[in-house]
Amino acid sequence: MTGRMMFGATLLLALATTPAQADNWSRSWMAAPLVSKAPPEKRPDLNNRTLRQVVRISSGGQRIRLRLSNEMSTQPLLLGAVHVALAGENGETLPGTDHVVTFNQAQGATIPARAPLLSDPIAMQVKPLTRLTISIHLPQGAPDATVHSYSAATGWTAPGDQTAAPRLSDSTTLGPRVIISGVEVESRKPGATIVTLGDSITDGVRATPDSNRRWPDLLAERLQQAGRTSVGVANAGISANRLLSEGDGYNALARFDSDVLAVPGVTHVVILEGVNDLGNAARSQQPMLPPAALIGAYRQMIARAHDRGVKVILATILPYKGAGYWSAEGDAARMAVNAWIRDNKEADGFVDLDKAIADPADPARMAKPYDVGDALHPNDEGFRAMAAAFDLKLFR
């Protein structure tokens, strides 16, 4: 055997016997990227300031990585230092848990316009349902930062680079999610992610802030309690979102690829959408959407998901009689759509959230113990009833 042949054989043997690195990434937390609709004068001043935001992941792993988003922005975004740590109270970091976040083995980065950016893997072992503090320094600010309008959580900004500070000084509170759009975890065996696609009810509007009481949060807790420790829940809810037309964010069919099919580790999607399509038609005095229009949208998503091996769980549309945009015609369409959801054989299952929170005496209304007060959004107990309605066998 020649020297070249011996070298080649040795190299192949080395490659064959070198243990592969784990590379099983799945998304454990998510906020769908949005354009900020706040006028420029009402947006927070982020010039040479630190953003600090707390998230609770769903599944755990041996390493994590962050997904930062400039996808809805027209200008490149300069990142300074970025840190992640275990979260204490009020945005403080727990001692000894702070990690510097790098991008392509360097601190700081520039995210191109319309692009996301994944961090390098961070050697930070995290348990399921862990709270993380993410701190980002913006040396030049972010005048058109990509956001997620509703956060159900308190964030903060503070002057200068305080990313490594256990406690921020001279801070102010922040409402929306800004720039962060995902936390992904790596596990030794492939994990799984359930994406929940929906509107404000999925986004958790009117849930108690800083409590992780949205129904996807509570579903994640149920999965962990059932021993499904490698299964995460990624919340892709957007307040005022619709199936077929533009409310807030792109319509569900337009964002299905980016917010569902492109999510690492996605195995299932739960779809709870349609009430805003019906309600908006009534409010704007437009012709009511026929049930076939909403059903056609579901069928489109089922086909696109199945092409990628993703299972679809449809949720019945919740009752909303008494809400400002309710109409008898819209409710008739809702009931027809729900009847199709219960009977169809095209999706991979359904969850009857309508039945779970309806008033038995008037099924067109939400039961009072579950109603936050506007006849549209559930309160914390309503979200709990929704999460409890899921048969976890749907996710096997």
Side-chain angles (χ1 to χ4, degrees):
M1 182 179 292
T2 67
R4 181 176 296 178
M5 293 174 63
M6 291 178 63
F7 173 78
T10 303
L11 177 61
L12 288 172
L13 179 63
L15 290 172
T17 57
T18 300
Q21 295 292 318
D23 194 25
N24 300 308
W25 291 99
S26 57
R27 189 161 296 171
S28 184
W29 177 89
M30 177 176 176
L34 291 170
V35 174
S36 176
K37 291 192 173 181
E41 65 274 12
K42 292 188 177 181
R43 297 177 189 177
D45 178 14
L46 301 177
N47 187 44
N48 189 28
R49 292 184 72 87
T50 295
L51 284 171
R52 179 162 287 185
Q53 300 168 82
V54 175
V55 305
R56 190 186 76 168
I57 61 174
S58 49
S59 53
Q62 60 191 27
R63 296 194 297 176
I64 68 171
R65 66 186 183 191
L66 307 183
R67 187 182 191 275
L68 307 182
S69 178
N70 199 38
E71 292 161 276
M72 301 298 172
S73 305
T74 59
Q75 300 296 322
L77 176 65
L78 177 64
L79 302 176
V82 179
H83 285 239
V84 62
L86 298 184
E89 297 300 318
N90 298 316
E92 297 180 14
T93 63
L94 295 183
T97 68
D98 183 69
H99 290 71
V100 174
V101 180
T102 61
F103 305 89
N104 297 319
Q105 290 75 53
Q107 295 187 43
T110 296
I111 312 180
R114 306 295 189 191
L117 182 69
L118 284 176
S119 76
D120 298 332
I122 304 157
M124 184 178 185
Q125 188 166 355
V126 290
K127 296 179 180 179
L129 307 179
T130 293
R131 294 170 61 249
L132 300 175
T133 294
I134 300 168
S135 303
I136 303 169
H137 178 229
L138 299 171
Q140 298 176 2
D144 67 340
T146 296
V147 303
H148 184 84
S149 304
Y150 183 78
S151 67
T154 305
W156 300 265
T157 74
D161 180 4
Q162 299 190 43
T163 52
R167 178 185 300 176
L168 297 179
S169 61
D170 195 22
S171 64
T172 58
T173 57
L174 180 72
R177 297 291 186 190
V178 181
I179 298 172
I180 59 173
S181 66
V183 178
E184 294 163 5
V185 297
E186 184 189 42
S187 52
R188 289 183 175 84
K189 295 182 179 180
T193 297
I194 301 163
V195 178
T196 58
L197 183 72
D199 50 40
S200 59
I201 295 169
T202 298
D203 210 6
V205 169
R206 308 299 290 273
T208 299
D210 300 309
S211 67
N212 300 304
R213 296 294 90 187
R214 303 172 299 176
W215 72 259
D217 299 323
L218 299 173
L219 176 61
E221 291 180 8
R222 284 196 62 207
L223 288 161
Q224 294 303 316
Q225 292 163 1
R228 306 285 296 279
T229 56
S230 63
V231 180
V233 177
N235 189 338
I238 295 176
S239 181
N241 199 232
R242 302 176 198 160
L243 277 172
L244 294 167
S245 60
E246 300 302 291
D248 199 4
Y250 301 136
N251 64 70
L253 290 178
R255 68 188 184 98
F256 195 71
D257 284 14
S258 60
D259 288 354
V260 177
L261 300 183
V263 169
V266 59
T267 57
H268 296 75
V269 57
V270 178
I271 301 172
L272 175 58
E273 288 258 22
V275 69
N276 286 329
D277 296 76
L278 300 174
N280 182 69
R283 179 168 51 202
S284 60
Q285 299 183 336
Q286 298 293 319
M288 181 52 59
L289 288 170
L294 275 66
I295 291 168
Y298 295 141
R299 283 178 162 146
Q300 283 288 311
M301 290 186 280
I302 291 167
R304 288 159 64 182
H306 285 175
D307 284 346
R308 299 286 290 273
V310 175
K311 294 184 177 181
V312 177
I313 310 301
L314 297 179
T316 50
I317 302 172
L318 273 57
Y320 68 110
K321 185 178 180 181
Y325 62 12
W326 184 86
S327 69
E329 190 179 12
D331 200 55
R334 179 186 71 91
M335 290 189 290
V337 170
N338 283 352
W340 179 84
I341 288 174
R342 294 182 182 108
D343 294 338
N344 89 92
K345 305 302 180 185
E346 299 171 44
D348 300 282
F350 79 96
V351 56
D352 205 341
L353 298 183
D354 170 29
K355 182 179 178 181
I357 69 165
D359 184 343
D362 185 359
R365 289 185 181 272
M366 190 182 306
K368 285 188 176 180
Y370 299 146
D371 183 1
V372 79
D374 63 3
L376 178 64
H377 295 97
N379 57 21
D380 289 1
E381 286 307 308
F383 286 135
R384 187 178 300 280
M386 291 171 67
F390 284 83
D391 182 351
L392 298 187
K393 293 179 182 177
L394 289 170
F395 303 119
R396 295 191 181 277

